[in-house]
Amino acid sequence: MNNYKLLLLLFSVVIFVNYINYMMPDRDKLHKKIELLSYKIEKENHLGSAKPDMKELELPLATLFYDGKKFNYSQAMGDFQESITRAAKANCTIKRLKWAQVPLSAKWYDVLKIDTALECTPKNVFLFINKLRKNSKIYNIKNFTIYRMRNKPMLQLHMQLISYRIHYEK
């Protein structure tokens, strides 16, 4: 009979040790969750109490986009092309720059597109993109593909660079 009691005791200890941890709540996780929730509530309260000034949130559209009062379509595209050639001047070889025929117009802006083909070394690709990023205008890069050239240790880049021109309705 003692063996039976000992076996039952050992069996209950094994069950207690192995399975009780899964059934009892983890206090460390609960404490961390409470701290995280209190931090998020405090942050939301701080953001709710701080009222931002509307002038701080306004974007300087004249510096980020081409102004329709100063630039017509061809002038904006010319300036856009010059900024691309300036960025690629010492770093890359420009193979092709092709303007889009007609700008895509939305209600208050035009989309300016230039198809670009360049040859660069891998390091100069990053230098070209960083120089393009330093410009004050906003540019998007779409359809970006890179090919390794077979005969030279160069990369061939094909991309569509996009900028925007604001136009004012009369």
Side-chain angles (χ1 to χ4, degrees):
M1 191 69 154
N2 282 338
N3 288 337
Y4 180 73
K5 288 181 182 178
L6 185 63
L7 183 64
L8 184 64
L9 179 69
L10 286 175
F11 184 72
S12 61
V13 167
V14 167
I15 289 178
F16 179 77
V17 168
N18 288 329
Y19 298 106
I20 197 69
N21 290 332
Y22 298 110
M23 295 180 187
M24 302 242 341
D26 191 6
R27 294 188 198 291
D28 292 336
K29 285 184 182 178
L30 290 175
H31 287 296
K32 287 179 184 177
K33 193 180 264 189
I34 290 170
E35 288 176 13
L36 179 66
L37 286 174
S38 63
Y39 171 74
K40 286 185 177 182
I41 290 170
E42 181 182 327
K43 186 176 177 182
E44 286 293 324
N45 288 335
H46 176 70
L47 288 175
S49 65
K51 298 200 181 212
D53 187 19
M54 290 307 287
K55 298 214 178 214
E56 292 176 8
L57 299 176
E58 288 181 6
L59 292 175
L61 296 178
T63 58
L64 297 176
F65 305 114
Y66 291 102
D67 193 1
K69 291 181 181 177
K70 295 179 186 176
F71 297 101
N72 61 16
Y73 174 70
S74 61
Q75 290 172 336
M77 288 295 282
D79 191 44
F80 185 26
Q81 181 178 346
E82 284 179 22
S83 66
I84 294 170
T85 54
R86 269 187 267 123
K89 186 182 258 184
N91 300 323
C92 302
T93 305
I94 298 174
K95 291 299 181 183
R96 181 175 52 100
L97 291 175
K98 182 181 174 187
W99 291 11
Q101 295 297 324
V102 179
L104 297 173
S105 292
K107 201 169 200 177
W108 57 278
Y109 66 94
D110 293 331
V111 178
L112 311 173
K113 293 182 182 181
I114 295 181
D115 293 329
T116 309
L118 303 170
E119 285 183 3
C120 300
T121 60
K123 180 182 177 184
N124 288 341
V125 171
F126 295 109
L127 293 175
F128 166 73
I129 291 175
N130 286 336
K131 280 188 178 179
L132 204 59
R133 286 175 53 195
K134 287 181 184 176
N135 201 339
S136 65
K137 306 293 184 207
I138 290 180
Y139 300 131
N140 287 340
I141 298 176
K142 287 191 175 180
N143 302 331
F144 186 71
T145 56
I146 299 178
Y147 302 103
R148 185 179 63 85
M149 297 180 71
R150 291 184 185 181
N151 300 334
K152 301 178 196 175
M154 303 277 277
L155 299 175
Q156 191 169 23
L157 309 166
H158 295 280
M159 68 186 100
Q160 191 175 54
L161 288 167
I162 298 172
S163 187
Y164 303 96
R165 180 176 72 101
I166 301 171
H167 58 81
Y168 300 94
E169 307 236 354
K170 295 177 183 177

